[in-house]
Amino acid sequence: MNLDALYSNLTIKTGAKLALIVLDGLGDIATKAQDELTPLEAAHTPNLDALVAAGVAQGRMIPVAPGITPGSGPGHLGLFGYDPLEFLVGRGVIEALGLGFTLKPGDIAIRANFCSLNEKKLVTDRRAGRIPTETCQRLCALLASKLKKLGTTEVHIVPGKEHRFVVVLRGAGLEGPLTDTDPNREGLPINEAKPVDPKNAKQKKVAKLVADFYKAALPLLAKEKPANGFLLRGIAHQPDIPLFENRYGLKAAALAVYPMYKGLAQLVGMKKIEGPQTIKEQFERYVAEYDNYDFFFIHFKYTDKYGEDGNFEAKKKAIEEFDEALPIFLEKRPDVLAITGDHSTPCAVKGHSWHPQPVLIQSALSGSDKLERFTETGANLGSLGIFPAKFLIRLMQANARMFDKFGA
Amino acid sequence: MNLDALYSNLTIKTGAKLALIVLDGLGDIATKAQDELTPLEAAHTPNLDALVAAGVAQGRMIPVAPGITPGSGPGHLGLFGYDPLEFLVGRGVIEALGLGFTLKPGDIAIRANFCSLNEKKLVTDRRAGRIPTETCQRLCALLASKLKKLGTTEVHIVPGKEHRFVVVLRGAGLEGPLTDTDPNREGLPINEAKPVDPKNAKQKKVAKLVADFYKAALPLLAKEKPANGFLLRGIAHQPDIPLFENRYGLKAAALAVYPMYKGLAQLVGMKKIEGPQTIKEQFERYVAEYDNYDFFFIHFKYTDKYGEDGNFEAKKKAIEEFDEALPIFLEKRPDVLAITGDHSTPCAVKGHSWHPQPVLIQSALSGSDKLERFTETGANLGSLGIFPAKFLIRLMQANARMFDKFGA
């Protein structure tokens, strides 16, 4: 029996409130350089400690598969209960959603950067000197005004921050993925976008459209400085993803600050709540919106950001900032709370990694693992074990008593 | 998406050095008879302890599936990253490779024993009194000289030690597995080799060839004493296994003493390094060959051998012998080191078992589980958890930073 179908068949709506707090890149590794403590272990977290003391279940999660380091897309899809190997989402799709552009299934979304080209058409700056956002908006408006269609295919151009924008191709018979046109370093020409599967006619059609787009757009930018070219990455179509509410019977809201995480939440059909800029504000808004949704996804970016920088102290402080705000959240304690990361971002790696991230679940039925704190080392000993991240939401649903018994 | 394809797509060659030390049958169980200590726990292992204190990740591995006791073939295939349920390798294939016979995909390899038959053609000694190796060589030469072909199928006969030899059938349209002709106890006649899948025409063809082989060979041995017959086991074809170097981007060498493990390593395309007879010599040779390969498989047999004997003290001493030699190995510390068994061989079982074997991984990114020693009980608490053995090499590759990030 298909497992998703089983879960679906057993699902009961109970009106329970569920909340998933994602401290991006939370997991870390213990090294001698930091006295064998991870940032989570080194951080002063009295509120989290009190939560753990009241009784939680802990464990660790494998984001995709053993040894695989996920990007934010696969990392979050897993947290939302979608197998990242089954639901593949391109970077362009995520960026487009993050900028508030509503994609339709089948749309091709492309992440674009303005760049600088020399007279030989070689890339001299892959980010065009990080032009101001206003310049980006002006150039996107210019392109959009002249390039509404390529044949019968609609073209949408959405400006982002600084040198970034998104191109969306909307029409029949389009499919990704294609290779990037970004040569990934300066001194090289813009690459041709090629079908990843050379036999796929729909991908070939997109390759032709991308070439036509360059042909029409580059002359429009010819006199611009320094942004007289652009590079395309993550050329892919919006996949057909079952909506969160249909899949889990939960009306979901997302409280995220960064576009990509808003985009990921929207991709599965969560309602994007705009406004809050800090974790304190996100928690305040959660309290205000408590009655309006069944499921809250709250995303905190800074653990990942400082892990990427290899900044142990800052990652530790980010965790402490989260901890300090936690009592606001707990004013309206949900029936089921999960706190975790979408992956590990160890300071020693200065990037995402494959190390399973720690997770805790707190509910009336989570039981207590009798651990004093929420840490990587403690999570190794927890009752949840080490499990694929895609099952987290199923465990949350179970804790919310949302599943009927299977079989008699 | 297929997981092996994903790993393959993400693989980067980094020039990192990886080493896998297999203490065959390492895992054991704690029993009251031995003060609740396993041989690994009871052994004096100062060098291993120092390695652990410097920071390693620990866990336990399921060789094939829960409750399944593997032979050496499936045990090692799992360690080499090949799902033992997908890649089935017959014992004859392993023996042939161990004797240095180069098999081709599709060859049928059969493990054979000379035996003694009485006048009623009943087996009176399944090992023909363990005839000297020289006798075996003479009899194999006799058979080989008279039996070069069966119809269009080539026949190769390779002598082994004492009563053991290997028969290889080479021709088009052959496939295994077939049932053994060995009745497994004295007083019974030689069995007929039957297709495991009665509808498989290629297996039926092999069954006919085996019957023809007996018809031609038995008369040649009729006057020999005590080896006037032979029993066949593990009748199977060489499977088409993706080569280690293509699969992992690692040029691999095997330092094993016993033929079977050399054969298993060769089966996946590792280079067999001949010469060393003790673990000390194996480690010395590893140091000498360090620059020539990316991956080293070092096999130590005695933990298994003494486990099979139920000899706790000897198994403990074998571990201590390994530990004493370990500093030689560590003169050239690889970027990623894994130490484990291919399965457990508990003294109380006197044979292989299904108990997950302990494993440790040491690298700059392994992190530390803050455990004092490498033991079965400690490994239960480690950050690697309990996982299928086939993922070990993927975790080693991840520790070597050989995988690109998956998705954006």
Side-chain angles (χ1 to χ4, degrees), chain B residues 20-136:
Chain B
L20 169 64
I21 301 179
V22 177
L23 305 178
D24 202 303
L26 175 64
D28 215 296
I29 55 176
T31 65
K32 293 285 175 193
Q34 295 291 345
D35 299 326
E36 291 200 309
L37 292 178
T38 68
L40 184 58
E41 289 167 347
H44 177 62
T45 55
N47 297 307
L48 200 48
D49 298 354
L51 185 74
V52 172
V56 306
Q58 294 192 43
R60 298 186 73 159
M61 300 198 298
I62 298 171
V64 178
I68 298 288
T69 294
S72 301
H76 277 80
L77 279 178
L79 290 181
F80 298 158
Y82 300 81
D83 188 331
L85 296 175
E86 186 182 346
F87 298 94
L88 301 170
V89 180
R91 185 77 174 229
V93 169
I94 295 165
E95 286 288 316
L97 291 165
L99 292 175
F101 186 88
T102 306
L103 288 174
K104 295 183 181 175
D107 281 359
I108 298 285
I110 310 172
R111 201 180 182 210
N113 280 0
F114 284 108
C115 72
S116 307
L117 302 172
N118 66 12
E119 65 289 348
K120 290 180 182 165
K121 303 287 176 200
L122 302 180
V123 177
T124 56
D125 185 337
R126 288 176 54 247
R127 295 180 185 85
R130 292 187 184 270
I131 48 168
T133 300
E134 296 71 40
T135 309
C136 178

Side-chain angles (χ1 to χ4, degrees), chain B residues 5 16 41 62-63 88 117 134-135 138 150 169 189 206 242 278 281 345:
Chain B
E41 289 167 347
I62 298 171
L88 301 170
L117 302 172
E134 296 71 40
T135 309
R138 180 177 60 77
L150 288 167
L169 305 175
V206 175
T278 65
E281 289 168 10
T345 305

Side-chain angles (χ1 to χ4, degrees), chain B residues 231-308:
Chain B
L231 303 172
L232 303 179
R233 292 187 288 162
I235 307 170
H237 61 281
Q238 150 125 347
D240 198 3
I241 295 186
L243 291 182
F244 197 90
E245 185 163 358
N246 299 337
R247 193 169 161 95
Y248 306 116
L250 293 165
K251 194 178 160 200
L255 280 154
V257 177
Y258 279 62
M260 189 187 301
Y261 311 98
K262 294 180 192 172
L264 282 162
Q266 277 188 291
L267 187 66
V268 299
M270 289 189 198
K271 168 81 179 162
K272 181 172 68 170
I273 298 179
E274 296 282 10
Q277 295 299 310
T278 65
I279 189 69
K280 193 169 160 288
E281 289 168 10
Q282 287 171 287
F283 285 162
E284 283 164 353
R285 187 63 177 271
Y286 155 80
V287 170
E289 301 277 358
Y290 184 84
D291 292 334
N292 301 331
Y293 300 92
D294 309 308
F295 184 96
F296 293 87
F297 158 56
I298 302 174
H299 181 266
F300 180 67
K301 173 71 180 171
Y302 302 96
T303 27
D304 177 63
K305 189 172 183 320
Y306 295 122
E308 297 250 12

